[in-house]
Amino acid sequence: MDVISVLTEIPGLLVATWVLLGLAIYAGYRQNWQLRSVAADGGYLSGLGFESEKPTGLFRWLTTVDHKDIGVLYVVFATGAALWGATDAMMIRTELFTAGTDVWSAETYNALFTTHGLTMLFFFVTPAFTGLANYFIPILVGADDMSFPRINAIAFWLLPPAFFLVRGGLITEVMGKMLASVGVHWELLFSLRPPTIGWTLYAPRSIIVTNPQVDLVLLGLHLSGLATIMASINIIVTIFTERDEGVTWANLDIFSWTLLTTSGIVLFAFPVLGSALLMLIADRNFGTTFFAVDGGGPILWQHLFWFFGHPEVYILVLPAFGLVSLILPKFAGRKLFGFKFIVYSTLAIGVLSFGVWAHHMFSTGMDPRLRASFMAVSLAIAIPSAVKTFNWMATLWGGNVRWATPQIFCVGGIMTFIVGGVTGVFLASIPVDLVLHDTYYVVGHFHFIVMGVITFAAFAASYYWFPLLTGRMFNRRLGRIHGYLSIVGVFVAFMPMILIGYGGLPRRSASYPGVFEALQQVSTFGAVIIGIGALIWLTNLVQSYRLGPIVTDADVWNLRESGQFSREWQWFETQLEERTKFRR
């Protein structure tokens, strides 16, 4: 076999991997794998050097096992994935601006909503909250680090290749077109095409599609699941075994409680997904019939997927609830109302989340008695969710509310959660669900949750802990503008989808009847508002990290006044004192 024949056998994804690895090695070489003792802790303050045993540069980030560094890596990775997924969303809304298929092809549109869903659920929200957990849980419970630091690092470093596998088709296609522009045409770089099977990966379509990228997507999702399980085990063990003597179950902070519950859900939900993915790979490549009509049947896939998929909703939303419960009282001037009931409601959601999966399948023709039992559990889970909402409102009631940026996002998140929750109750009802199933109503409902309370909580945390993470303060005016734009944007973008769903328009189609065009355009306008807000957020944080006012007093939010100068800020105060001592 000659050299050219060998080269043509190399998969395009492997070529892309080599190129990116080469760029990383070159970047490390350019920095001489620096080992200088200049680094930051408890604030990655740029431009000021002070003594530390940590190396700097690329070498530090590739080799670190420090929970704070890994937490930052998670957050940076999640931010990059979110921006990519948001680009998919804007491309979707661009196509839907007119009723016909005018901008992208139907295949490209299908690929866009597939990769948008997978990216946002597996590579944005979960890593973002895992990153915050990595950074803050050891501090909040008084531990030196996570229980298994090296497993912690491995869990993170599994994510980039997993993401690369899921999005590989687009990457190799772009590389192929770049090479083609300079006269080099490598057909193999075009052999992988973005998947068009939808983020739920429903059989039998996910089995019969011949695109080899689908196999890589399944492997990438399996890899991300392994990473999530490893991170969850670490969180559970850390909270159980590494707590300081003064941190009891009674005074464990609410964020740690929600992360503990979330990690418990992960241990039961993700192995089911991993097993189902391997069965799907076997059906595609080895002739098994797990999800074929002659074997288990396509409905088996839906059962396995949603047994993971609905608890996944709570894997995403419980950390957001924890952040709202943690941050909101700080700016209400009083402690969280009904702390114990919020903890109990969190545990109740964790248990009930495994009993609601089949409400996604009411229209599949399952036994009516079975449907009724799942409807009852689905309605029941609204109770602990409502407990949280009323406790947040009671915390605000009579409080000295300060409308700082984190508080704007917390209150905005409660507003969107109420809309998303109430619309979800209707979907839990069999007669209504049979009418609205697979319409835009469903898209509007879960985006009020995912883009509303979940993303808003992440934004609130990014502003609330920004001074602690960077040692600088952000531009408060830009932060408030971002907050108000986001709230308006979410309602303008997703409320029309509720109305479109009532009109009966099915989702997942690039074209639609012209009667829905005006509402689709309003929805696209809302998406643009959200996008402008996100750009303001990114610009504000990057510029503030570079040039923002340096924090010299750890009580940046005046929390001592209300007795809520909590453990992470006390830790930050110690770090500031150490920084002053060693600053050169």
Side-chain angles (χ1 to χ4, degrees):
M1 185 180 292
D2 56 27
V3 176
I4 294 177
S5 300
V6 171
L7 288 177
T8 55
E9 293 296 324
I10 300 173
L13 191 63
L14 193 57
V15 175
T17 305
W18 289 349
V19 171
L20 293 177
L21 184 61
L23 291 173
I25 293 173
Y26 178 71
Y29 173 76
R30 290 276 298 176
Q31 297 186 41
N32 296 321
W33 305 100
Q34 296 178 29
L35 291 167
R36 291 174 301 180
S37 58
V38 183
D41 227 0
Y44 293 81
L45 195 62
S46 60
L48 289 177
F50 50 91
E51 300 298 333
S52 168
E53 295 179 354
K54 288 184 178 180
T56 61
L58 184 64
F59 188 77
R60 166 183 177 176
W61 298 105
L62 289 175
T63 60
T64 183
V65 292
D66 186 301
H67 71 96
K68 298 183 292 297
D69 290 348
I70 293 172
V72 171
L73 286 171
Y74 267 112
V75 171
V76 171
F77 172 83
T79 303
L83 293 175
W84 197 347
T87 304
D88 292 335
M90 295 308 295
M91 293 173 71
I92 292 170
R93 294 312 315 172
T94 303
E95 175 55 52
L96 294 174
F97 194 75
T98 56
T101 310
D102 302 320
V103 182
W104 317 113
S105 67
E107 183 179 4
T108 301
Y109 180 83
N110 291 344
L112 285 171
F113 70 70
T114 300
T115 52
H116 170 68
L118 294 175
T119 300
M120 289 306 200
L121 293 179
F122 289 91
F123 299 103
F124 160 46
V125 181
T126 305
F129 291 141
T130 305
L132 294 177
N134 263 284
Y135 198 105
F136 290 104
I137 280 184
I139 297 172
L140 291 169
V141 303
D144 294 330
D145 205 325
M146 300 295 281
S147 287
F148 310 113
R150 285 170 177 76
I151 291 179
N152 203 24
I154 293 170
F156 169 76
W157 285 110
L158 287 179
L159 281 179
F163 191 40
F164 192 38
L165 286 171
V166 171
R167 304 296 309 241
L170 181 61
I171 295 172
T172 54
E173 184 180 354
V174 170
M175 290 183 63
K177 289 182 177 178
M178 290 173 63
L179 290 174
S181 67
V182 295
V184 179
H185 189 81
W186 200 335
E187 189 60 34
L188 282 171
L189 289 174
F190 297 96
S191 62
L192 298 176
R193 301 183 308 281
T196 57
I197 54 177
W199 71 271
T200 51
L201 312 173
Y202 276 169
R205 178 170 171 75
S206 57
I207 298 173
I208 61 178
V209 168
T210 57
N211 179 7
Q213 174 62 31
V214 174
D215 293 309
L216 298 182
V217 168
L218 300 178
L219 289 172
L221 294 179
H222 191 72
L223 203 58
S224 76
L226 290 176
T228 305
I229 291 171
M230 293 164 74
S232 297
I233 291 173
N234 224 343
I235 290 170
I236 292 171
V237 176
T238 300
I239 293 176
F240 266 89
T241 65
E242 301 291 334
R243 280 180 292 121
D244 188 72
E245 290 182 355
V247 181
T248 65
W249 291 113
N251 64 13
L252 182 67
D253 67 281
I254 191 65
F255 183 58
S256 298
W257 268 113
T258 54
L259 261 298
L260 182 64
T261 308
T262 302
S263 300
I265 300 174
V266 166
L267 290 191
F268 289 98
F270 269 82
V272 175
L273 175 69
S275 302
L277 289 171
L278 292 178
M279 292 157 72
L280 194 56
I281 291 173
D283 272 12
R284 285 179 54 82
N285 298 281
F286 303 112
T288 57
T289 57
F290 291 113
F291 306 118
V293 175
D294 296 336
I299 297 299
L300 175 61
W301 168 261
Q302 292 195 35
H303 278 295
L304 293 176
F305 180 83
W306 288 115
F307 185 81
F308 149 80
H310 204 87
E312 166 72 359
V313 173
Y314 297 100
I315 290 170
L316 303 180
V317 81
L318 282 180
F321 288 166
L323 288 171
V324 172
S325 300
L326 181 80
I327 297 171
L328 183 133
K330 312 286 186 186
F331 299 93
R334 55 184 302 195
K335 293 185 178 179
L336 182 64
F337 180 85
F339 178 88
K340 285 183 180 178
F341 291 100
I342 288 194
V343 172
Y344 294 149
S345 67
T346 301
L347 297 173
I349 289 173
V351 174
L352 291 173
S353 66
F354 287 98
V356 299
W357 85 86
H359 81 237
H360 294 270
M361 303 165 60
F362 283 162
S363 61
T364 58
M366 67 169 64
D367 190 310
R369 292 165 296 182
L370 200 57
R371 286 195 308 196
S373 62
F374 278 104
M375 182 179 78
V377 180
S378 300
L379 292 172
I381 206 169
I383 297 172
S385 303
V387 167
K388 291 180 181 299
T389 306
F390 286 119
N391 277 281
W392 292 330
M393 295 168 70
T395 304
L396 291 170
W397 188 265
N400 181 24
V401 180
R402 290 180 289 150
W403 293 106
T405 305
Q407 185 76 333
I408 293 170
F409 276 105
C410 286
V411 174
I414 295 171
M415 294 162 57
T416 58
F417 175 62
I418 290 173
V419 177
V422 170
T423 51
V425 170
F426 287 106
L427 288 177
S429 171
I430 296 170
V432 180
D433 181 77
L434 292 178
V435 175
L436 298 175
H437 181 76
D438 242 354
T439 67
Y440 268 85
Y441 180 94
V442 180
V443 183
H445 152 67
F446 72 71
H447 275 88
F448 267 108
I449 302 291
V450 177
M451 183 59 224
V453 63
I454 293 175
T455 308
F456 279 12
F459 280 136
S462 72
Y463 285 114
Y464 177 62
W465 280 321
F466 184 82
L468 186 152
L469 286 166
T470 66
R472 293 182 186 270
M473 194 63 194
F474 60 85
N475 185 306
R476 300 177 192 238
R477 177 177 297 178
L478 286 179
R480 286 193 290 272
I481 292 172
H482 173 214
Y484 293 127
L485 278 178
S486 299
I487 294 170
V488 172
V490 165
F491 278 92
V492 174
F494 302 118
M495 190 58 78
M497 292 187 186
I498 300 290
L499 302 176
I500 293 170
Y502 274 126
L505 181 65
R507 56 177 172 165
R508 296 176 172 169
S509 177
S511 60
Y512 55 86
V515 68
F516 295 106
E517 192 170 80
L519 284 172
Q520 290 280 22
Q521 289 176 350
V522 172
S523 181
T524 300
F525 179 64
V528 172
I529 294 175
I530 296 172
I532 292 171
L535 289 177
I536 291 174
W537 169 78
L538 189 63
T539 305
N540 186 8
L541 295 198
V542 171
Q543 280 298 94
S544 299
Y545 171 69
R546 294 178 59 241
L547 305 169
I550 295 174
V551 174
T552 55
D553 181 0
D555 191 15
V556 289
W557 300 116
N558 298 321
L559 301 178
R560 280 199 178 92
E561 288 181 2
S562 57
Q564 298 189 76
F565 192 66
S566 46
R567 188 180 285 268
E568 79 273 28
W569 294 105
Q570 295 169 21
W571 172 84
F572 182 46
E573 187 173 47
T574 306
Q575 299 303 308
L576 282 181
E577 292 172 358
E578 291 294 317
R579 179 183 302 169
T580 303
K581 186 187 306 180
F582 289 107
R583 187 177 296 164
R584 293 187 304 209

